[in-house]
Amino acid sequence: MLNIKYELATTKKPKPDENNLGFGIYYTDHMFVIDHTEGIGWHDARIVPYAPLMLDPAAMVLHYAMESFEGMKAYRLPDGSIQLFRPEKNAERMINTNKRMCLPSLPVEDFVQAVKALVETEKDWVPHQDGTSLYIRPFIIATEPHLGVRTSKTHQFLIICSPVGAYYSTGINPVKIFVEDEYTRACPGGTGFTKCGGNYAASLVSQVKAHDLGYEQTLWLDGVEHKYVEEVGSMNCFFKIDDVIYTAPCVGTVLPGVTRMSCIELLKKWGYTVSEDRLPIAKVMEAAKAGKLEEVFGTGTAAVISPVGELRYEDQVAFINNGEIGPVTHKLYETLTGIQWGKMPDDMGWTVKVC
Ligand code: COI
């Protein structure tokens, strides 16, 4: 159990227009900070006014990308209370990420305690409008000033919050996806399963390419053969072909998404066949030609459930469900958001009350 000290802001920022939040534009009044020092462990947990960090220019995070992060949300319920969605899953994933990245981790209970404490402090920032939430960004950075490549002796773990609307400007309307066949995102033994900034930095070249071609995101193929579908820039991806729902297996190169996991659990509960076998992109494009690619959607904390309306692979273009949201995608969206925003009973036991 953390002993969190509070230093509250004396002035509060004006709240943004809830109808126009966008994603990751506004930040709340406070942040959570805790330090880690080799030989001492975690110390000085605090909630302090949101402010720029003081970092030595030689801090290792700035040179060797020694950092990791998480993404989660707090939701405003119809009765005004606030809840989180499976926060322990984010804590567990961060521990797995940090092992790979040689970063220290907070125990699950301390991580969840810190998130709850900050959200409760920022409760007035959790927006009320439909489809809005408070995005929570826990992250850890290596702070030791040192230019040799080795693990850092000091780290800082922080949590910041941002009131958000939809991640894509298209909202719940289907996105257009470009299948990347030149660059790779992840290889066996690499960091593909982690939430480290480097994975995202290395993906931008393809995102720029996709944008230039008129597509919103990149669908990555496996890094060895460029043959099997893996994940989209900021989402896991599902394909419904001939009544089977496929998503890439989490075997080290795909992010084990909390929304992905929740969708699989819901789909299985509803009696769908879910396959986590590797799915060749050729099979996806053939299915599209044969009229059997019924639905494609992405899942993620930021993106929620995002229908895909178009896939471009090499010189082939697949249009999915006439560019409309399909019935399974719609049911998943309604159920998941219903549970998250407290508009449906949480039969799965996924939500955690904050205040
Ligand atoms: C999330 O879905 O929370 C993410 O972290 C994706 C992204 C915005 C990087």
Side-chain angles (χ1 to χ4, degrees):
M1 175 101 176
L2 298 172
N3 175 18
I4 305 175
K5 302 258 164 31
Y6 288 77
E7 182 203 323
L8 297 183
T10 46
T11 54
K12 301 273 174 78
K13 298 177 203 166
K15 305 275 186 305
D17 173 8
E18 288 195 4
N19 296 306
N20 231 334
L21 289 172
F23 185 87
I25 298 168
Y26 304 101
Y27 298 93
T28 65
D29 292 314
H30 299 91
M31 57 189 187
F32 173 87
V33 187
I34 187 168
D35 294 302
H36 187 273
T37 308
E38 195 178 273
I40 298 176
W42 293 106
H43 57 93
D44 295 314
R46 54 207 186 267
I47 287 178
V48 292
Y50 185 98
L53 302 179
M54 278 285 280
L55 270 186
D56 193 295
M60 296 178 92
V61 60
L62 300 176
H63 303 272
Y64 306 124
M66 292 159 61
E67 69 87 53
S68 78
F69 71 97
E70 269 301 322
M72 49 207 296
K73 282 176 173 169
Y75 305 87
R76 173 84 61 190
L77 276 62
D79 66 3
S81 62
I82 295 167
Q83 68 186 16
L84 302 170
F85 184 74
R86 311 187 85 176
E88 70 292 345
K89 295 289 174 209
N90 295 89
E92 287 163 8
R93 184 172 63 187
M94 195 164 201
I95 291 172
N96 289 335
T97 292
N98 290 349
K99 274 189 195 144
R100 175 64 177 81
M101 302 296 294
C102 296
L103 298 165
S105 286
L106 276 181
V108 172
E109 322 71 74
D110 293 353
F111 177 103
V112 175
Q113 184 198 345
V115 169
K116 280 179 156 177
L118 183 63
V119 171
E120 186 157 13
T121 307
E122 304 297 56
K123 57 180 183 292
D124 295 345
W125 281 90
V126 182
H128 299 75
Q129 283 294 322
D130 264 5
T132 63
S133 54
L134 187 70
Y135 187 75
I136 304 163
R137 173 53 62 87
F139 62 106
I140 180 166
I141 54 176
T143 50
E144 189 191 351
H146 187 79
L147 294 183
V149 178
R150 59 155 169 77
T151 57
S152 176
K153 294 187 193 337
T154 58
H155 295 85
Q156 198 161 65
F157 170 88
L158 301 100
I159 310 174
I160 55 173
C161 298
S162 170
V164 298
Y167 184 69
Y168 294 115
S169 53
T170 48
I172 183 69
N173 296 318
V175 289
K176 291 166 67 181
I177 304 259
F178 169 75
V179 184
E180 177 59 69
D181 57 357
E182 178 189 2
Y183 300 107
T184 51
R185 176 188 171 275
C187 276
T191 58
F193 69 94
T194 72
K195 230 164 156 52
C196 71
N199 285 345
Y200 295 81
S203 75
L204 290 176
V205 67
S206 177
Q207 188 173 308
V208 169
K209 183 171 150 191
H211 281 183
D212 288 347
L213 292 165
Y215 291 81
E216 270 113 10
Q217 287 274 326
T218 291
L219 170 63
W220 293 99
L221 301 177
D222 74 282
V224 177
E225 295 175 87
H226 279 200
K227 191 170 163 190
Y228 300 99
V229 298
E230 293 217 316
E231 69 179 74
V232 174
S234 51
M235 322 185 276
N236 294 110
C237 206
F238 288 70
F239 301 81
K240 182 162 180 276
I241 300 175
D242 236 355
D243 262 343
V244 176
I245 302 172
Y246 295 87
T247 192
C250 285
V251 286
T253 50
V254 169
L255 187 83
V258 178
T259 314
R260 173 192 180 279
M261 175 196 307
S262 307
C263 286
I264 293 175
E265 288 172 39
L266 284 174
L267 289 167
K268 286 188 173 164
K269 186 176 142 203
W270 295 335
Y272 287 101
T273 308
V274 179
S275 166
E276 293 181 72
D277 292 339
R278 300 174 89 197
L279 175 66
I281 184 67
K283 179 166 171 174
V284 174
M285 299 314 281
E286 272 161 31
K289 267 195 215 137
K292 291 184 173 172
L293 182 58
E294 294 151 11
E295 296 183 44
V296 180
F297 56 92
T299 64
T301 299
V304 194
I305 306 285
S306 184
V308 175
E310 187 179 324
L311 274 181
R312 171 169 160 187
Y313 174 56
E314 295 176 337
D315 54 359
Q316 308 166 52
V317 179
F319 296 98
I320 302 131
N321 202 40
N322 297 319
E324 280 167 25
I325 182 166
V328 175
T329 312
H330 191 253
K331 186 171 178 189
L332 274 175
Y333 179 84
E334 289 295 317
T335 308
L336 199 73
T337 58
I339 294 173
Q340 289 171 332
W341 273 275
K343 293 178 181 166
M344 267 189 187
D346 174 14
D347 298 334
M348 310 297 277
W350 284 340
T351 54
V352 172
K353 234 341 163 244
V354 175
C355 56

